[in-house]
Amino acid sequence: MTPLIAIAAEAAEQKSAEVTDWAGRLGWVAGLLLFVVLVYWLMRQGWKWRGSLQSDLPALPARPSPTTTLNGGGEPPQPGMPETTGEAKLTLSGRYHGSTTAGQWLDRIVAHGLGTRSRVELTLTDAGIEVVRPGANDFFLPTAALREARLDKGIAGKVLTEGGLLIVTWEHGGKQIDSGFRSDRAAEHTAWVETINSMINTTEGIAR
């Protein structure tokens, strides 16, 4: 074989190897994409399955106002609730990190949009806690439904620094629920815990 032919053969082999390399890479990328799609699909199915298991959870309470934005707006106050929320005791801007069965920080509740993480605006009044979530369902926690407020570091698989979450325990449909919130100013959490627990103690005292 002449040197010229040898050089041409070597170049052809190198080109063939490059093409083979690209084919392998494309196959690897396609396989990875299929794996990601499969994982996403399984997660979505798991979410739907969990939602169906929680289908017995009643619709979320609406705040006591005919102008509520819950599910698009306009639901009247529930029986036994005041017609207005009253003056704000505390307000908070931050994030809603999800809800779980009380005491079980990984048992996420997804029914009625409670599993959707979002920005949140909280307002605490004598009537309860108004939870306004841009892009997700708003809901209301009546004072009579509140059971406890505490500081914690994790909920629904989300872990933050110690005391980085405001956890509010409330009862709905015979089920106790933990809902986790984080203020943009974490120093506000303590005031919320103290005020909510004071309201709960006062309500229980009146009930007795």
Side-chain angles (χ1 to χ4, degrees), residues 117-132:
R117 289 176 178 162
S118 63
R119 290 289 302 173
V120 73
E121 299 286 335
L122 297 185
T123 302
L124 178 64
T125 68
D126 286 330
I129 304 174
E130 182 179 349
V131 184
V132 177

Side-chain angles (χ1 to χ4, degrees), residues 8-22:
E10 186 178 343
E13 285 177 9
Q14 186 175 358
K15 185 174 182 181
S16 175
E18 288 175 358
V19 171
T20 303
D21 261 353
W22 276 109

Side-chain angles (χ1 to χ4, degrees), residues 85-166:
T85 56
E87 186 179 347
K89 292 175 175 288
L90 293 170
T91 59
L92 178 155
S93 295
R95 293 199 65 81
Y96 167 77
H97 283 287
S99 293
T100 66
T101 300
Q104 301 179 40
W105 77 288
L106 289 175
D107 188 18
R108 183 194 296 268
I109 295 175
V110 303
H112 306 302
L114 286 176
T116 304
R117 289 176 178 162
S118 63
R119 290 289 302 173
V120 73
E121 299 286 335
L122 297 185
T123 302
L124 178 64
T125 68
D126 286 330
I129 304 174
E130 182 179 349
V131 184
V132 177
R133 301 190 296 157
N137 289 349
D138 302 339
F139 56 99
F140 186 78
L141 310 183
T143 300
L146 300 177
R147 296 294 175 266
E148 180 194 20
R150 69 180 188 276
L151 299 181
D152 213 323
K153 64 178 180 179
I155 192 167
K158 180 71 174 181
V159 179
L160 298 170
T161 57
E162 190 68 46
L165 279 172
L166 165 66

